Amino acid sequence: MADPGAADRLAPAGRPDEIRAIPVRRPGRWVAAALILLLAASLIHSVATNKQLEWHVVGQFLFDHRILSGVFMTLELTVSAMAMGVILGVVLAVMRLSPNPLVSGTSWLYIWFFRATPVLVQLLFWYNIAAIYPSISLGIPFVGVEFVHGSANTVVTTYVAALLGLGLNEGAYMAEIVRAGIISVGEGQTDAALSLGLSRLQIMRTIVLPQAMRVIIPPTGNETISMLKTSSLASVITLTELLLASENIYAVNFKPIQLLIVASIWYAAMTSVLYVGQYYLERYYARGATRELALTPLQRIRSGLFSLERHEWS
Amino acid sequence: MVMTWPMVKAEGVHKRFGRLEVLKGITLELQAGEVMCLLGPSGSGKSTFLRCINHLEKINAGRLSVDGELVGYRQVGEKLHELREGEVARKRAEIGMVFQHFNLFGHMTALENVTCAPIRVKKEPRERARARASELLGRVGLADKLEAYPAQLSGGQQQRVAIARALAMEPKLMLFDEPTSALDPELVGDVLEAMRQLARAGMTMLVVTHEMGFAREAADTVVFMDEGVVVEAGRPADVLASPRQERTRAFLSKVL
């Protein structure tokens, strides 16, 4: 016969008491916190009370129209160079994975060349392109058909030189990022899409790339943030972006530190905006990959507020 | 009398991966409207053969045809011409395939998975594709999961979405590559039920499986493969109950 008490033993009567244990003491944390606070306080004190820093000069130039137009130039250059980099990167990555050895070899060579030379050298190269190619034309080679023709100095302006230097270089780095993303999508996805009769191009566009985005976006955000700051190299070839705008001012008023602080504040502000953009972009491409999306900080605050309100009413 | 014709016809099909010969001359015929189960130990070439039928793999020798047309080639006189990618894709669209690991498109909902190919390949109007897709998903018992992403579904549910996705192209032949091998035991039943329904509706099916119960009751023919050759083929009652070959007997004694 079965043990009549067995069921009772498996399901204990009543709910056991909640655990209320005394937490482990962590004196190390308090010591570390005190040290960090002390260091921070002394740093803030020295920065705030240092008369040489002349914070009012920073304030005076923070929204100066020359600085603002430098900010816009930096943004414009960053966005266009990144756009060029992303488009080139996708094309190069798809070429690199092509079964045709000539196509994949060309892509390999391009990536090697641009990663093997410093971007500052490339910028200077494009800036001086007129020295080796005084005139530039767009047409069909060897048959004498030309669509566009001009002297190199009018076609390759300072801005175009900066765009080519940064964008072509970025393409090589983006190609590696996109390639890693494409490889990360399992072969089963391609098999399934092929078996449904989709073409190679359709599969790349609608099945593989959208899923590769999850892997591509974080490093691309990183590249964009990096580009924002690398664009300051264009100051060397006399493009008046944020850094050169600041330099031009301190060349006259001899306040380099204050103007470099102004530039840094703007770079940091723009970078912070990119952080937010990257967060939402990553979230968008995470759909389907996780069972449930985490709440955004805004949603969390809002739901927190609502739950507080409900609490008060009840 | 019902007219019947061979939907799949294989004659001496060989397939090599590098120096490894996976298929060493497969000859078999699947009649339209019939269900054939491919049995055999893993590594015997069953899945490879299935992938050859819709040209996911190229065969190295022999002849393989679906519905009277060669797979992947066109014969002009004595010579074989490779088909263009577009032509291969058009033929693949007429053959449904269900994979061991489902291979649902992770960034699309169940409904989008099913409407994807009809909209993009058949250029079906969006609304009609959606209506047919929800009807198909309803038929496999997923009417309430239309907007779910694959990651939110159980394995059994994902596999049923995969079946609906293949059926949405209105295929004349369905290939199943171990459709229940990756499922938890209690989820296998729903998938097999969906397949039985399909078999009853008269779909021509080629199923690689280890589900002997399914093979016994749903198959018209079972084929036992080992080491790249067909060892034995016949009606399930004969092959499963009284196998003539020693290798078949040895395999069945392990799985039954």
Side-chain angles (χ1 to χ4, degrees), chain B residues 14-78:
Chain B
H14 284 255
K15 170 69 191 171
R16 279 191 312 271
F17 289 111
R19 289 215 311 252
L20 179 72
E21 189 152 49
V22 181
L23 301 179
K24 301 170 186 165
I26 301 288
T27 299
L28 56 78
E29 213 168 272
L30 168 62
Q31 300 298 319
E34 287 196 350
V35 176
M36 179 185 278
C37 283
L38 287 179
L39 313 176
S42 57
S44 58
K46 308 170 304 245
S47 296
T48 304
F49 179 64
L50 217 58
R51 290 168 64 84
C52 289
I53 292 175
N54 64 359
H55 210 49
L56 286 178
E57 307 288 354
K58 268 186 200 169
I59 64 173
N60 298 109
R63 288 286 185 276
L64 183 57
S65 56
V66 171
D67 208 8
E69 288 179 36
L70 282 183
V71 174
Y73 303 94
R74 185 187 305 108
Q75 187 156 12
V76 183
E78 288 289 285

Side-chain angles (χ1 to χ4, degrees), chain A residues 119-132:
Chain A
V119 67
L120 181 55
V121 174
Q122 291 170 33
L123 279 169
L124 291 168
F125 175 83
W126 288 111
Y127 186 57
N128 293 302
I129 190 79
I132 47 168

Side-chain angles (χ1 to χ4, degrees), chain A residues 187-200 202 205-208 210-211 287-292, chain B residues 51 54 56 85 89 92-93 95 97 99 103-108 116-117 120-121 123 149 151-152 165-166 169:
Chain A
E187 275 182 17
Q189 296 287 308
T190 307
D191 279 350
L194 280 173
S195 79
L196 288 166
L198 273 77
S199 71
R200 291 265 167 201
Q202 282 176 322
R205 241 188 27 229
T206 63
I207 308 295
V208 175
Q211 295 189 83
R287 76 197 192 290
T290 46
R291 271 156 208 261
E292 227 169 294
Chain B
R51 290 168 64 84
N54 64 359
L56 286 178
E85 274 198 25
R92 282 197 187 115
I95 304 171
M97 185 157 188
F99 299 84
N103 297 352
L104 290 183
F105 305 134
H107 60 308
M108 298 182 180
C116 174
R120 292 193 164 75
V121 178
K123 312 292 175 204
Y149 284 100
Q152 297 163 327
R165 176 174 70 176
M169 291 299 283

Side-chain angles (χ1 to χ4, degrees), chain B residues 9-238:
Chain B
K9 193 171 174 187
E11 293 165 286
V13 170
H14 284 255
K15 170 69 191 171
R16 279 191 312 271
F17 289 111
R19 289 215 311 252
L20 179 72
E21 189 152 49
V22 181
L23 301 179
K24 301 170 186 165
I26 301 288
T27 299
L28 56 78
E29 213 168 272
L30 168 62
Q31 300 298 319
E34 287 196 350
V35 176
M36 179 185 278
C37 283
L38 287 179
L39 313 176
S42 57
S44 58
K46 308 170 304 245
S47 296
T48 304
F49 179 64
L50 217 58
R51 290 168 64 84
C52 289
I53 292 175
N54 64 359
H55 210 49
L56 286 178
E57 307 288 354
K58 268 186 200 169
I59 64 173
N60 298 109
R63 288 286 185 276
L64 183 57
S65 56
V66 171
D67 208 8
E69 288 179 36
L70 282 183
V71 174
Y73 303 94
R74 185 187 305 108
Q75 187 156 12
V76 183
E78 288 289 285
K79 291 219 173 88
L80 286 184
H81 295 251
E82 271 189 23
L83 293 183
R84 289 169 190 285
E85 274 198 25
E87 295 172 302
V88 173
R90 254 196 304 286
K91 291 196 172 182
R92 282 197 187 115
E94 297 174 348
I95 304 171
M97 185 157 188
V98 173
F99 299 84
Q100 181 177 1
H101 295 288
F102 331 132
N103 297 352
L104 290 183
F105 305 134
H107 60 308
M108 298 182 180
T109 62
L111 193 72
E112 287 165 352
N113 262 282
V114 180
T115 57
C116 174
I119 291 172
R120 292 193 164 75
V121 178
K122 284 190 162 178
K123 312 292 175 204
E124 205 171 294
R126 204 162 280 268
E127 275 319 303
R128 221 187 64 192
R130 287 175 71 90
R132 281 204 315 117
S134 24
E135 197 251 304
L136 278 168
L137 284 168
R139 233 192 289 162
V140 292
L142 295 171
D144 55 339
K145 298 288 184 190
L146 303 185
E147 300 303 327
Y149 284 100
Q152 297 163 327
L153 298 172
S154 74
Q157 292 169 331
Q158 289 188 52
Q159 194 59 299
R160 282 180 281 151
V161 174
I163 293 173
R165 176 174 70 176
L167 290 177
M169 291 299 283
E170 295 170 323
K172 55 187 179 188
L173 167 67
M174 283 284 284
L175 309 173
F176 291 85
D177 187 5
E178 303 201 27
T180 57
S181 301
L183 297 179
D184 290 336
E186 78 268 26
L187 302 176
V188 169
D190 291 334
V191 172
L192 290 182
E193 183 47 42
M195 290 167 64
R196 271 190 216 101
Q197 261 185 40
L198 202 54
R200 278 197 295 270
M203 175 64 74
T204 314
M205 290 161 65
L206 188 50
V207 185
V208 172
T209 187
H210 294 293
E211 293 292 330
M212 294 304 150
F214 177 80
R216 190 176 296 124
E217 58 181 295
D220 297 290
T221 319
V222 299
V223 172
F224 176 70
M225 276 176 70
D226 193 14
E227 294 184 348
V229 293
V230 172
V231 175
E232 190 166 355
R235 292 187 312 158
D238 299 335

Side-chain angles (χ1 to χ4, degrees), chain A residues 174-258:
Chain A
M174 281 308 302
E176 292 295 281
I177 291 171
V178 174
R179 189 167 69 101
I182 290 174
I183 291 172
S184 78
V185 179
E187 275 182 17
Q189 296 287 308
T190 307
D191 279 350
L194 280 173
S195 79
L196 288 166
L198 273 77
S199 71
R200 291 265 167 201
L201 191 69
Q202 282 176 322
I203 293 171
M204 189 50 75
R205 241 188 27 229
T206 63
I207 308 295
V208 175
L209 279 179
Q211 295 189 83
M213 284 310 244
R214 217 161 47 79
V215 174
I216 293 173
I217 293 286
T220 303
N222 208 27
E223 288 292 311
T224 311
I225 286 166
S226 173
M227 174 67 80
L228 188 72
K229 291 167 295 180
T230 309
S231 70
S232 62
L233 287 181
S235 63
V236 176
I237 59 169
T238 72
L239 183 74
T240 317
E241 41 63 73
L242 179 51
L243 180 60
L244 189 55
S246 313
E247 286 176 355
N248 287 342
I249 298 174
Y250 74 65
V252 177
N253 72 1
F254 304 111
K255 304 273 186 208
I257 294 293
Q258 289 71 19

